[in-house]
Amino acid sequence: MMKGEAGRMQHSDKPKQEGHIWGSMKRTAFILGSGLLLLVAFWNSVTCLHPETSMTSLPRHLQRFWGASGYFWQAQWERLLSTFEGKEWALYIIGATQVPVLFFWAFNGLLLVVDTTGKPNFISRYRIQVDAEKLRQSVRTVLFNQCVISLPMLVFLYPILKLRGDPCRRELPTFHWFLLELAIFTLIEEVLFYYSHRLLHHPAFYKKIHKKHHEWTAPIGVISLYAHPIEHVVSNMLPVMVGPLIMGSHLSSITTWFSLALITTTISHCGYHLPFLPSPEFHDYHHLKFNQCYGVLGVLDHLHGTDTVFKQTKAYERHILLLGFTPLSESIPDALKKME
């Protein structure tokens, strides 16, 4: 009798769960679509209105700044094009692969020094957790992913980008167009990363693929690219590459976006809640509990209810931009366990 009742209850709950998921997906599409429309409207307002009558002061100042510096960057870009004339593919390789990787290892090199030595203290005091036992093996995996997977994928992307518009075209994008691209890149990454990441947590894929990344329950920055090759393609590379492909972006936008994406994912894995930088608490909690906080921005986690447990923790209270120099682990410490 009890088994039969339990079976009927599970059967009746299934449509409710499916309805909840479908409802969440519809809300997600509505909110992201509305956000995109608002971004387009804002972009039109700062680019199409008359600069002396309708434009607000902030966009006007930004436009003046960009106009003044834009001539400088345009001149430098044309000089690069002259240097690489007939070999634009080499310029693309440098901009799309070498520059972002340089930023990645420069930032992670500093963090690795702090992780392994504990010095300088003014940085290490912001550490929220430490676990560096598998560091050497992890660095080898990261280098493999970058050289054997990322590089060929980005090389293959070049002829596809040329079909959408030459990424090495002579004219640089305007400041407003780049801001619009950046917003679209971010939304696309949020959607693709959330759903691909959540799919990798399905039992059919987790043990064979995604478990490798979760070997680090207390991650450090370089672990952001420590992943199974399939995960690196599906969850690390594609969410970042699709945006520039859809937009037919200029190499300058691609280089900036790839560099920002690598720095951002490093921060989310680094374990340091540093002043004036984005909080790593959200993704750090995912590595701790596995079934919470799948996304980048947290928008889809909120819509799908995959951050409800996180919101009840001290880590959620610490998930803010630190504007002072007192570590949040000191000002908002975890609750002490009661003595038995």
Side-chain angles (χ1 to χ4, degrees), residues 60 71 82 112 121 143 154 234 270 292 300 313 320 325:
R60 184 164 61 245
Y71 294 114
S82 299
L112 285 173
N121 184 60
L143 289 171
L154 293 172
V234 173
C270 72
Q292 292 278 298
L300 292 176
T313 66
I320 56 175
F325 295 99

Side-chain angles (χ1 to χ4, degrees), residues 140-312:
R140 286 200 298 266
T141 300
V142 171
L143 289 171
F144 175 86
N145 285 341
Q146 288 181 321
C147 298
V148 180
I149 299 176
S150 297
L151 181 59
M153 287 184 71
L154 293 172
V155 170
F156 182 72
L157 180 65
Y158 180 62
I160 302 176
L161 281 170
K162 291 202 74 171
L163 297 175
R164 299 281 294 118
D166 187 1
C168 295
R169 51 189 175 272
R170 184 162 295 277
E171 187 176 354
L172 289 174
T174 65
F175 178 66
H176 300 106
W177 178 256
F178 172 70
L179 288 181
L180 178 64
E181 281 188 311
L182 195 60
I184 293 173
F185 296 164
T186 303
L187 288 175
I188 291 173
E189 182 195 24
E190 171 72 4
V191 172
L192 294 182
F193 181 77
Y194 178 89
Y195 289 113
S196 64
H197 186 194
R198 194 167 177 183
L199 180 64
L200 288 172
H201 275 265
H202 188 280
F205 304 109
Y206 180 80
K207 187 174 182 180
K208 294 182 179 179
I209 299 176
H210 192 48
K211 186 176 180 180
K212 184 180 185 69
H213 184 67
H214 275 282
E215 289 174 5
W216 287 76
T217 56
I220 59 176
V222 74
I223 301 308
S224 56
L225 300 184
Y226 176 70
H228 187 282
I230 293 177
E231 177 181 354
H232 187 62
V233 171
V234 173
S235 205
N236 289 344
M237 293 299 297
L238 289 180
V240 178
M241 291 171 60
V242 169
L245 180 59
I246 291 175
M247 299 298 292
S249 297
H250 192 277
L251 179 59
S252 59
S253 297
I254 295 171
T255 301
T256 305
W257 167 239
F258 286 175
S259 301
L260 285 174
L262 284 174
I263 293 298
T264 300
T265 191
T266 294
I267 292 173
S268 68
H269 286 85
C270 72
Y272 293 95
H273 197 146
L274 296 169
F276 314 112
L277 288 180
S279 165
E281 303 280 354
F282 187 77
H283 195 72
D284 197 77
Y285 191 78
H286 172 75
H287 274 263
L288 184 64
K289 297 298 182 181
F290 296 2
N291 62 352
Q292 292 278 298
C293 308
Y294 294 100
V296 179
L297 303 176
V299 176
L300 292 176
D301 285 283
H302 176 73
L303 292 174
H304 287 293
T306 49
D307 62 353
T308 52
V309 177
F310 172 66
K311 288 179 177 177
Q312 301 171 16

